[in-house]
Amino acid sequence: MIHVFLLFSLCFSGINYGQVGNNLPPPDKVLDLLTALKLSKARIYDTNPQVLTTFANSNIELIVTVENQMLPVVMDPQQALQWVSTHIKPYFPATKITGIAVGNEIFTDDDTSLLGYLVPAIVSIHGALVQLGLDKYIQVSTPNSLAVLEVSYPPSAGSFKGEVSGVMSQFLQFLSSTGSPFWINAYPYFAYKDSPDKISLDYALFNKNPGMVDPYTKLHYDNMLYAQVDAVVYAMSRLGYGGIEVRVSETGWPSKGDSNEVGATVQNAAVYNRNLLRRQMSNEGTPLRPNMRLEVYLFALFNEDMKPGPTSERNYGLFQPDGTMAYNVGLSALATSSSTSSASISLTSSATKASKVEYQSLVYCMFLYLLTFQGFMRRQH
């Protein structure tokens, strides 16, 4: 049952550690788990001092968040300096804070007033980092919903919604001048759920499928996530910013949903994550940027029982709050093919292009991980 998480630790860029639950393990247990998984990057949705203190002197690189409601405050340079001096400086560098997310999905937030605060807040937070000599170590950006796009298909037609293009241009200018990434929260699950009759489940899940060819660029896409990412790249290029790196700040698939949430099953969640793991293991880029490995943060570490909204919102976790796995993904990240009819695939001699040395390394690490994981579970009880 632990196999996929070894692969996860070897391949994935990071994981989102949400804390909207009343039964989650304390930060020290979470650190034990992340360490056992050999994960080195995580993102949190605040600057929880317990987490920042606990993660000190660990190998975990953290992206922290300025909450949405704080944007009107930190747009003031003095308030931003106060925020950084209080929430970042006391913990750095013992705690490896490498990024600050200023808000989350502001461009598409129901509170449209927040959009006017976004770029001033980002600039002020970055200015505070410069003033404190931390800008060389900590990047500043904001994660965006894919709904920020007016057009996403085909990828080469990607464009931002007209109503946000002015602020978006200012934001992209900041990213370009500071060398910071564009963060996108991309969920093929949502597209499939909304149009299951039009969108191939195999295409959404990275399973073998004919894919699609962009009629303008002739690039072939065999999965939806890469098409979504490239649509963002084209949208930025349309505004004159073609050189900014796109990173996936969130992606995942729910293991449970309401009756109207088509596709939210344990089976599909396992297939999506294991297939994405295989892609990450190959250090793949997208068709538009094949030589630039796509950085991906999986959502999420835990099922969070207090998240509002439909049932799916509380069931994206790889783990239950007690530290047990929400589902078993298996070793299929090493498989060359998968099927939605099975959520468990065994490792066979023909299932991977990995070398014998890579395989032996995996087996050895699995053994070490199993010992560590068992220790973590014992400490939980």
Side-chain angles (χ1 to χ4, degrees):
M1 282 171 50
I2 50 82
H3 300 160
V4 67
F5 299 107
L6 168 73
L7 297 177
F8 178 91
S9 68
L10 294 177
C11 307
F12 263 93
S13 302
I15 195 163
N16 287 276
Y17 167 24
Q19 301 161 63
V20 188
N22 59 10
N23 57 355
L24 297 175
D28 62 317
K29 299 299 183 185
V30 175
L31 179 59
D32 286 344
L33 179 57
L34 295 178
T35 302
L37 299 174
K38 300 191 187 319
L39 270 169
S40 61
K41 296 183 180 182
R43 174 187 168 208
I44 60 175
Y45 293 81
D46 52 20
T47 51
N48 186 329
Q50 265 193 302
V51 174
L52 296 182
T53 300
T54 301
F55 281 41
N57 303 310
S58 72
N59 290 319
I60 308 297
E61 296 180 6
L62 277 180
I63 295 173
V64 301
T65 303
V66 179
E67 296 95 326
N68 288 8
Q69 66 271 19
M70 285 297 296
L71 265 61
V73 177
V74 300
M75 66 178 290
D76 176 79
Q78 285 305 116
Q79 292 294 330
L81 180 60
Q82 178 64 38
W83 188 91
V84 172
S85 297
T86 302
H87 296 272
I88 303 296
K89 191 170 183 284
Y91 305 99
F92 185 89
T95 300
K96 296 180 180 178
I97 300 170
T98 59
I100 298 176
V102 180
N104 187 49
E105 300 189 345
I106 297 297
F107 280 97
T108 52
D109 196 275
D110 291 338
D111 184 355
T112 55
S113 69
L114 290 175
L115 185 55
Y117 303 126
L118 179 60
V119 174
I122 288 173
V123 171
S124 292
I125 290 291
H126 179 258
L129 292 173
V130 171
Q131 193 169 336
L132 296 171
L134 302 178
D135 59 300
K136 298 178 183 65
Y137 312 101
I138 302 175
Q139 292 182 316
V140 181
S141 189
T142 189
N144 298 281
S145 164
L146 199 71
V148 76
L149 295 180
E150 182 71 50
V151 177
S152 61
Y153 181 87
S156 62
S159 61
F160 292 112
K161 291 181 174 177
E163 60 266 29
V164 304
S165 60
V167 177
M168 182 61 72
S169 292
Q170 298 170 27
F171 172 56
L172 296 178
Q173 170 60 40
F174 170 83
L175 297 183
S176 178
S177 64
T178 59
S180 300
F182 187 102
W183 286 331
I184 188 72
N185 297 339
Y187 290 88
Y189 161 71
F190 291 133
Y192 175 75
K193 175 181 72 72
D194 292 341
S195 302
D197 296 331
K198 297 180 180 179
I199 294 175
S200 161
L201 180 60
D202 285 333
Y203 181 65
L205 292 176
F206 292 90
N207 277 339
K208 186 177 181 180
N209 70 95
M212 60 82 67
V213 175
D214 189 302
Y216 303 103
T217 64
K218 306 305 180 186
L219 292 175
H220 177 258
Y221 291 85
D222 65 359
N223 70 86
M224 181 176 287
L225 181 67
Y226 288 4
Q228 292 175 333
V229 169
D230 279 355
V232 173
V233 177
Y234 281 110
M236 292 192 298
S237 295
R238 279 190 163 75
L239 293 181
Y241 297 93
I244 297 171
E245 181 183 0
V246 176
R247 298 178 184 173
V248 178
S249 40
E250 290 181 15
T251 193
W253 197 286
S255 59
K256 185 179 180 182
D258 295 320
S259 58
N260 64 340
E261 295 189 284
V262 180
T265 67
V266 166
Q267 186 177 22
N268 288 341
V271 170
Y272 182 80
N273 286 325
R274 76 189 184 197
N275 284 342
L276 180 54
L277 279 167
R278 185 178 65 219
R279 300 302 184 104
Q280 288 275 286
M281 188 176 183
S282 299
N283 293 321
E284 279 189 353
T286 65
L288 182 60
R289 292 176 168 176
N291 298 320
M292 179 184 291
R293 182 180 188 269
L294 181 64
E295 180 164 305
V296 175
Y297 277 61
L298 195 67
F299 188 89
L301 185 57
F302 294 110
N303 284 337
E304 300 168 68
D305 68 342
M306 294 179 67
K307 290 198 72 174
T311 297
S312 62
E313 286 295 314
R314 295 175 287 282
N315 289 278
Y316 276 91
L318 298 178
F319 286 89
Q320 302 288 2
D322 64 1
T324 59
M325 294 178 188
Y327 51 84
N328 177 19
V329 182
L331 272 172
S332 58
L334 295 177
T336 57
S337 64
S338 57
S339 168
T340 55
S341 65
S342 174
S344 177
I345 290 183
S346 300
L347 177 66
T348 65
S349 59
S350 61
T352 178
K353 295 179 182 178
S355 68
K356 183 178 179 181
V357 172
E358 288 172 324
Y359 172 71
Q360 290 172 337
S361 175
L362 284 172
V363 172
Y364 174 68
C365 291
M366 285 176 199
F367 172 72
L368 294 180
Y369 169 76
L370 179 58
L371 296 178
T372 310
F373 184 80
Q374 288 175 333
F376 169 76
M377 292 303 298
R378 281 196 296 269
R379 289 194 294 274
Q380 283 285 85
H381 297 291

